[in-house]
Amino acid sequence: MYETTTNGQKWKLLLVIVSPILVTQIALYLVTFFDVLFSSKYGTTDLAGVSIGSSIWMPIYVGISGILLSVTPIVAQSVGAKKMKEATFTVQQGIIVSIILALVRHNYATHHFLQSPTCRSSKSL
């Protein structure tokens, strides 16, 4: 822990903590921006599909990432308390949860999106 006494020190520490999060969020939104930008050159149907897909994908991605990132502080607290068995168990559970979430997402995407008539017709392109 860093002790700060002045507002300048607090702002500097806040900037150090916030900057990686801010860069990540900007990068995530730029991915969507460029997807929409590139698909707009093909046509309005492609643009609509990519826009809807991005709107559905981003909350799912952020939610899954949030669930999986919650493992890190739990493991850190267990290691700090010298409870290595608990930390190992938490990591194992995190791996199992990530595999389950990946399978659920994969099955959902396979059955709902890849089986649609629009997606089947675009495979011939």
Side-chain angles (χ1 to χ4, degrees):
M1 293 290 291
Y2 295 103
E3 186 174 337
T4 58
T5 54
T6 66
N7 282 338
Q9 290 175 333
K10 290 178 184 184
W11 279 105
K12 183 178 176 183
L13 186 59
L14 181 66
L15 215 69
V16 168
I17 294 170
V18 167
S19 56
I21 298 169
L22 185 63
V23 168
T24 303
Q25 291 297 316
I26 290 171
L28 285 172
Y29 285 105
L30 281 176
V31 167
T32 302
F33 172 76
F34 285 113
D35 285 345
V36 170
L37 181 70
F38 291 143
S39 66
S40 67
K41 295 183 180 190
Y42 288 104
T44 56
T45 305
D46 298 313
L47 176 62
V50 169
S51 297
I52 290 172
S54 295
S55 297
I56 293 170
W57 170 245
M58 285 312 264
I60 292 171
Y61 176 76
V62 170
I64 290 173
S65 296
I67 291 169
L68 296 179
L69 287 173
S70 68
V71 172
T72 306
I74 296 170
V75 170
Q77 186 174 7
S78 298
V79 169
K82 307 269 192 269
K83 298 178 181 176
M84 293 305 178
K85 286 186 179 182
E86 186 177 310
T88 304
F89 179 74
T90 304
V91 170
Q92 291 170 348
Q93 293 298 310
I95 291 170
I96 290 170
V97 168
S98 66
I99 291 170
I100 290 170
L101 288 173
L103 290 173
V104 167
R105 189 209 52 86
H106 175 72
N107 288 336
Y108 181 78
T110 303
H111 295 321
H112 291 286
F113 295 115
L114 297 180
Q115 301 299 325
S116 69
T118 307
C119 191
R120 276 187 262 141
S121 65
S122 65
K123 287 181 183 176
S124 61
L125 297 175

